Amino acid sequence: MLITSIISAIGNNNSIYPLIVRDCGIEVPTKIVLTYNQNKKESKEVAKLAARERTLDEYAVSAVWLGGIPLVGKIADYFIRKKGFNPDVNLKLFKNSSVQNIDENIKNFKGKVPDKIIDELIKVKNNKSVYEKLLAYKFIASTAIPILFMGVILPKLIFASSAKKIEQQRAKEAKNKKLNFAAKENIQKSIDFMTDKKISFKGNWVTTAANFSTVDKMFVTDGGYAVGRVATARNKYEAIDVGFKMAGMMFLNFIAPKYIAKFLDSVFNVSLDPLMLADKSFVEAVKNNKLKLPESGSEKEILKFIDNNPNSIFVKFARKFNKVKLLDNGIRDPRAYVDTQDLAKFSSDIKKFIKNAKSAKSIENYALKSKRIKSMSILTNIALSSALLAYGLPKAQFAFRKLVTGSDLEPGLAPAKKVL
């Protein structure tokens, strides 16, 4: 069951677990070796410097990327609570819905949940603009701070460290002054933006940004990080080289795995999580026709089913996979927004499994076979996306670099004569 749990975790492309496996476990070590081997074709000294830079860069970025973003978010939540608001209240509850909105939740859950929760909803309702601004600051802080460090500060530190070990200074003084001025100017603009009391944080973007997951913030951060790295590159060829790499990394980390998962699910015709397929109570309920599911995929029906059947297998796994949030007493958290479209798809996937299982000779064997297939599908996705990130992308980058610069050496470390 432990192995199944691990496979289930790394198979969730909306969590950080597959990113940790691909980034720290496979991609970074492989890239360091490839970087050294690529540069040593022309210079062992440059190869050592390039491998050193890649090691410092990749692991420092991973630390900020995987740990810094959640940490800044938690710090921001602390200050939001100090202002008297609970950051768990979802701004999507202000959308135009007759079923799921803040007024309905205050009315329907009053007396069912602690008064404190209702008070939190009322405070947000009466101070929506202030709460929106706080959540906007949280989003900006949790993305701008990592971007500033990864995209500007870190490369400057690494470049300064490498400069002491390189015989010739790569960047001219005038260019350094220009880059430093540009970096400072961008930082100051960010600070002005975040502290301007007159700025208005109204509109759908605040609601969308406030509901970004850690992975969503990583994607945004990577975009800013890429811009910062291009801006702080030591020459135009390094800027082109870094831009190519960052575009490939963003695609292979955040977009490709989801498309690979959809393709593999369609090929193997298995969509349910291995943990669910391995659960005996789920298999028994399917076998004995006792599995309760929402009658339809409508928002009203989905919410009604959750509220009336909090102990059902459907709600149990919806909760386990973070599709719905319940309080300790089993009541749905009125501060949270439920993505009923996602739950409708979840219900549809279960119904498809039941239909296929019923046509099999043994439901138990079909569930076991499906679990193995889905587990293999997840591992295949991790292996394929990791191979593309750790080997395919660097090789493509090296070929692109050779085409553009005529050299195998890192553009920021190569002697001037090596960069055409």
Side-chain angles (χ1 to χ4, degrees):
M1 198 64 174
L2 175 61
I3 295 176
T4 302
S5 297
I6 294 172
I7 293 175
S8 171
I10 64 176
N12 182 1
N13 286 308
N14 291 317
S15 76
I16 66 171
Y17 297 112
L19 294 172
I20 292 174
V21 172
R22 285 196 298 265
D23 190 67
C24 297
I26 301 173
E27 180 190 354
V28 174
T30 305
K31 280 184 174 180
I32 292 170
V33 174
L34 288 175
T35 297
Y36 178 82
N37 290 337
Q38 182 68 15
N39 283 273
K40 78 173 183 178
K41 293 177 182 179
E42 296 189 34
S43 170
K44 286 188 176 180
E45 291 303 316
V46 173
K48 290 178 182 178
L49 286 171
R52 177 178 176 275
E53 280 197 354
R54 179 56 65 93
T55 302
L56 292 172
D57 189 13
E58 295 288 352
Y59 280 111
V61 165
S62 294
V64 175
W65 197 47
L66 297 169
I69 295 173
L71 177 62
V72 174
K74 288 181 179 179
I75 293 172
D77 284 345
Y78 170 79
F79 285 105
I80 290 174
R81 288 190 173 92
K82 291 287 283 184
K83 291 288 185 180
F85 296 93
N86 189 325
D88 291 335
V89 178
N90 198 307
L91 281 176
K92 286 186 177 180
L93 294 175
F94 285 95
K95 74 169 194 168
N96 294 323
S97 170
S98 59
V99 179
Q100 191 174 187
N101 62 65
I102 196 163
D103 289 319
E104 287 294 316
N105 282 8
I106 291 172
K107 180 178 72 175
N108 294 334
F109 286 90
K110 192 170 185 179
K112 298 179 182 178
V113 300
D115 292 340
K116 179 184 176 182
I117 293 177
I118 299 299
D119 291 341
E120 290 170 350
L121 287 169
I122 292 173
K123 178 152 188 179
V124 169
K125 176 189 172 184
N126 294 336
N127 300 274
K128 182 187 174 187
S129 61
V130 176
Y131 185 62
E132 277 184 330
K133 183 174 286 191
L134 289 171
L135 291 185
Y137 286 147
K138 174 186 174 180
F139 172 75
I140 293 170
S142 59
T143 53
I145 293 175
I147 286 172
L148 177 62
F149 180 80
M150 295 189 299
V152 179
I153 297 174
L154 180 61
K156 289 286 187 181
L157 292 174
I158 293 175
F159 296 162
S161 176
S162 294
K164 296 178 183 179
K165 302 176 181 294
I166 305 175
E167 293 180 0
Q168 181 181 356
Q169 180 65 35
R170 305 297 175 220
K172 295 180 180 180
E173 191 67 27
K175 186 176 180 181
N176 282 336
K177 288 181 180 179
K178 182 179 178 182
L179 286 174
N180 288 331
F181 175 78
K184 290 177 181 177
E185 187 177 42
N186 289 333
I187 295 168
Q188 188 59 50
K189 285 181 179 178
S190 298
I191 294 172
D192 291 343
F193 176 71
M194 294 173 64
T195 57
D196 185 356
K197 302 300 182 182
K198 297 180 180 179
I199 191 166
S200 175
F201 289 117
K202 294 181 178 181
N204 292 329
W205 83 268
V206 180
T207 301
T208 302
N211 286 282
F212 273 10
S213 66
T214 298
V215 175
D216 294 330
K217 290 175 184 175
M218 284 179 173
F219 181 81
V220 174
T221 301
D222 257 18
Y225 162 41
V227 172
R229 284 304 175 90
V230 171
T232 56
R234 287 167 284 196
N235 56 58
K236 69 176 182 179
Y237 293 108
E238 186 175 47
I240 295 170
D241 193 61
V242 169
F244 181 90
K245 180 187 77 171
M246 293 302 302
M249 284 177 61
M250 290 181 68
F251 176 78
L252 293 175
N253 259 323
F254 300 102
I255 301 174
K258 293 183 179 181
Y259 281 100
I260 293 172
K262 287 182 181 180
F263 172 74
L264 292 174
D265 286 351
S266 65
V267 169
F268 297 118
N269 197 29
V270 180
S271 301
L272 296 182
D273 190 279
L275 273 179
M276 194 168 187
L277 295 168
D279 188 82
K280 291 181 179 180
S281 62
F282 169 69
V283 176
E284 283 297 314
V286 172
K287 182 179 179 180
N288 299 318
N289 298 313
K290 292 183 178 180
L291 186 64
K292 291 183 179 181
L293 293 171
E295 292 181 6
S296 72
S298 70
E299 184 178 36
K300 183 177 181 180
E301 178 58 34
I302 293 287
L303 294 176
K304 178 182 175 183
F305 183 89
I306 293 170
D307 294 339
N308 292 338
N309 303 276
N311 297 317
S312 66
I313 291 175
F314 176 80
V315 176
K316 168 189 168 183
F317 280 101
R319 188 179 185 182
K320 190 176 189 66
F321 301 144
N322 296 317
K323 297 177 184 291
V324 65
K325 185 177 180 182
L326 303 184
L327 301 173
D328 292 337
N329 60 4
I331 302 295
R332 176 164 57 91
D333 191 340
R335 298 165 298 190
Y337 180 84
V338 181
D339 186 344
T340 53
Q341 291 185 350
D342 185 37
L343 283 173
K345 182 183 181 304
F346 182 48
S347 177
S348 176
D349 288 341
I350 295 174
K351 290 175 182 176
K352 184 173 72 172
F353 171 82
I354 293 173
K355 181 180 178 181
N356 293 335
K358 291 291 185 181
S359 62
K361 292 182 180 180
S362 168
I363 292 177
E364 290 91 346
N365 289 341
Y366 180 78
L368 179 61
K369 180 182 177 182
S370 297
K371 187 198 83 169
R372 290 172 177 169
I373 290 174
K374 182 61 178 179
S375 297
M376 186 58 63
S377 174
I378 290 171
L379 294 175
T380 299
N381 191 344
I382 288 291
L384 181 57
S385 56
S386 296
L388 290 172
L389 266 169
Y391 188 82
L393 178 59
K395 285 294 185 181
Q397 181 187 358
F398 298 154
F400 179 74
R401 177 189 301 165
K402 183 78 172 181
L403 178 67
V404 173
T405 70
S407 171
D408 290 312
L409 300 178
E410 295 284 324
L413 294 171
K417 64 179 181 180
K418 290 289 185 181
V419 181
L420 302 180

